[in-house]
Amino acid sequence: MQSAATPPFYQLVSFRPKLQTFPSKSRLCSLGTPFCRLRMASVSGFGLRPLRALGGSSSSSASDDGFVTFIEYVGKEGMNVKDDLVVLLDHIQYACKRIAALVASPFNYSLGKQTGLASVGSDRDAPKPLDIVSNEIILSSLQKSGKVAVMASEENDEPTWIRDDGPYVVVTDPLDGSRNIDASIPTGTIFGIYKRLEELDNLPTEEKATLNSLQSGSKLIAAAYVLYSSATILCITFGSGTQAFTLDHSTGDFVLTNPSIKIPPHGQIYSVNDARYFDWPEGLRQYIDTVRQGKGRYPKKYSARYICSLVADLHRTLLYGGVAMNPRDHLRLVYEANPLSFIVEQAGGRGSDGKNRILSLQPVKLHQRLPLFMGSLEDMEELESYGDIQQKVNPGYEV
């Protein structure tokens, strides 16, 4: 088990990110007029302005210009979640703002290089310094929140016990797609939140840390990803719909831009590394051949769109429909598949390992890998109808 007292990795590297400071929302413009946000494109890509207080409310809980920030939404205007969870989410969003600044920094080049620090026999990928710094940023924020019992991270072999009275458990992939950093391709942070299992409190620390982290995805109370791209977007669910917030860099606030994302029932895009076509099973090859010829249930030719950044590929799929997949045992059930499938289901889609609903699976180890298929409900039903879609061989390239 990891110790929460371990010195942060960023103390061991020469680069320390210089973070942006944000002006107050009450700041005045140079002309002396009250600060006004400019028109902002929504996550759906149709040029919508940020949403004002829900239902046109002018209550004091809304920000001073009428737009709804993330914390206002979860605390008062929208989900009305418990105060402890609001505190935790505030610390998580702050961590993600720091990571967004780090990813965009011109000084992160050396942090994108692989370290070779993965443990011998470990199920984890070899981390890069940027992964480790992101991990330390999240851990620090969770510690300061005072609301987390244990954090399980894709970057650590074992979970980190934080405090005995923390009501929540957080699982996270701190920086998904970090291999793309040098090419300025989108990356993301993924996290899921569970309640601490109080019935385990009398177990040894290492055992209760692991068992709390191995909860089924069906027990998630919240899950989110943050996309670091041309915009920084936080997409979250609390089990009753999926909402998206876009970071306003002028104020430092995540602003509500889509209160209810609904994935189209079918799309016209599939996202997969089809350079591996000849490694695929027959069922998956038949499905791809069928839809790209326009001979599937939806009689239009599908197009391939593949970024090789899970958060980015999924975000596009949520907005435009279709399927995003990795058919081999590569993606992690605890840190990636469960949180993202929860988000997709709450937007009206489906997450599957090719045979079973992801959220019905019981994890047996922290870094357990599996195939992952997510997307529009009708597209997923058609894909799974081909039966043999899980890639069982992995020739010629590393996991």
Side-chain angles (χ1 to χ4, degrees):
M1 185 183 68
Q2 302 290 318
S3 169
T6 303
F9 179 84
Y10 56 70
Q11 292 180 358
L12 306 178
V13 296
S14 58
F15 170 70
R16 296 293 298 273
K18 181 177 287 186
L19 301 175
Q20 178 181 357
T21 57
F22 299 106
S24 165
K25 287 189 290 187
S26 61
R27 184 191 61 169
L28 297 181
C29 296
S30 58
L31 297 179
T33 56
F35 175 79
C36 234
R37 284 190 180 93
L38 299 178
R39 188 172 185 268
M40 180 191 302
S42 80
V43 294
S44 60
F46 295 109
L48 299 178
R49 289 178 172 84
L51 298 179
R52 294 185 180 273
L54 302 182
S57 169
S58 58
S59 69
S60 60
S61 66
S63 58
D64 51 12
D65 52 11
F67 298 130
V68 181
T69 69
F70 175 60
I71 294 302
E72 290 165 350
Y73 182 81
V74 299
K76 300 295 182 182
E77 297 289 344
M79 305 313 299
N80 199 28
V81 302
K82 293 183 178 179
D83 289 346
D84 282 348
L85 186 54
V86 174
V87 172
L88 171 57
L89 291 169
D90 191 28
H91 282 79
I92 288 176
Q93 71 155 358
Y94 173 72
C96 292
K97 291 173 190 176
R98 291 187 63 192
I99 295 171
L102 184 66
V103 167
S105 168
F107 305 109
N108 70 21
Y109 179 78
S110 63
L111 294 183
K113 304 302 182 183
Q114 187 165 301
T115 65
L117 294 178
S119 304
V120 176
S122 170
D123 291 316
R124 298 191 295 113
D125 292 335
K128 301 175 178 62
L130 195 57
D131 293 306
I132 301 173
V133 173
S134 299
N135 192 59
E136 293 293 347
I137 287 172
I138 292 177
L139 175 59
S140 175
S141 288
L142 298 187
Q143 290 171 325
K144 291 176 182 177
S145 76
K147 304 301 180 183
V148 178
V150 60
M151 180 187 91
S153 170
E154 193 274 330
E155 298 303 328
N156 298 330
D157 287 330
E158 302 296 336
T160 302
W161 190 261
I162 297 177
R163 58 186 299 147
D164 291 341
D165 62 347
Y168 299 111
V169 175
V170 176
V171 297
T172 183
D173 183 349
L175 192 59
D176 173 73
S178 59
R179 69 180 62 185
N180 292 322
I181 286 288
D182 290 347
S184 297
I185 292 174
T187 54
T189 294
I190 304 167
F191 63 88
I193 301 174
Y194 298 92
K195 291 182 179 178
R196 186 185 92 245
L197 299 175
E198 296 182 9
E199 61 269 27
L200 304 178
D201 284 351
N202 293 326
L203 293 178
T205 300
E206 184 174 350
E207 185 175 356
K208 66 184 179 183
T210 298
L211 292 176
N212 269 288
S213 303
L214 289 177
Q215 297 185 57
S216 165
S218 61
K219 295 183 178 180
L220 281 163
I221 63 169
Y225 64 75
V226 178
L227 173 66
Y228 310 116
S229 186
S230 56
T232 299
I233 296 171
L234 188 159
C235 185
I236 193 166
T237 182
F238 298 95
S240 57
T242 297
Q243 298 82 37
F245 301 77
T246 302
L247 181 61
D248 180 349
H249 289 282
S250 68
T251 66
D253 294 319
F254 278 105
V255 177
L256 181 64
T257 44
N258 195 324
S260 183
I261 293 179
K262 297 296 182 185
I263 187 171
H266 59 75
Q268 203 175 334
I269 297 172
Y270 68 89
S271 179
V272 65
N273 183 4
D274 56 8
R276 308 303 177 187
Y277 177 90
F278 294 105
D279 298 333
W280 293 346
E282 183 63 25
L284 183 55
R285 289 202 302 262
Q286 287 181 354
Y287 169 77
I288 295 296
D289 289 343
T290 299
V291 297
R292 65 185 177 188
Q293 293 178 73
K295 297 179 179 179
R297 296 179 185 176
Y298 180 56
K300 288 192 176 182
K301 293 181 179 180
Y302 280 42
S303 298
R305 298 286 186 274
Y306 183 61
I307 302 172
C308 194
S309 179
L310 180 59
V311 169
D313 281 317
L314 177 62
H315 187 68
R316 181 195 55 247
T317 303
L318 274 180
L319 300 183
Y320 301 150
V323 290
M325 66 186 98
N326 190 325
R328 60 194 176 102
D329 290 335
H330 179 65
L331 298 173
R332 294 149 187 87
L333 176 57
V334 172
Y335 310 112
E336 297 166 319
N338 271 337
L340 296 181
S341 293
F342 190 31
I343 293 169
V344 170
E345 284 198 4
Q346 290 301 314
R350 174 173 168 80
S352 167
D353 69 352
K355 294 182 179 180
N356 307 292
R357 175 179 177 246
I358 290 292
L359 298 183
S360 69
L361 301 176
Q362 175 59 53
V364 295
K365 59 180 182 177
L366 285 170
H367 297 277
Q368 178 178 342
R369 297 177 187 257
L370 77 174
L372 181 59
F373 305 82
M374 298 179 292
S376 297
L377 191 58
E378 293 178 12
D379 286 320
M380 286 292 297
E381 289 173 349
E382 181 176 2
L383 170 61
E384 290 179 301
S385 72
Y386 283 78
D388 185 20
I389 60 174
Q390 294 178 324
Q391 181 179 332
K392 299 299 185 183
V393 294
N394 189 34
Y397 57 111
E398 298 176 356
V399 296

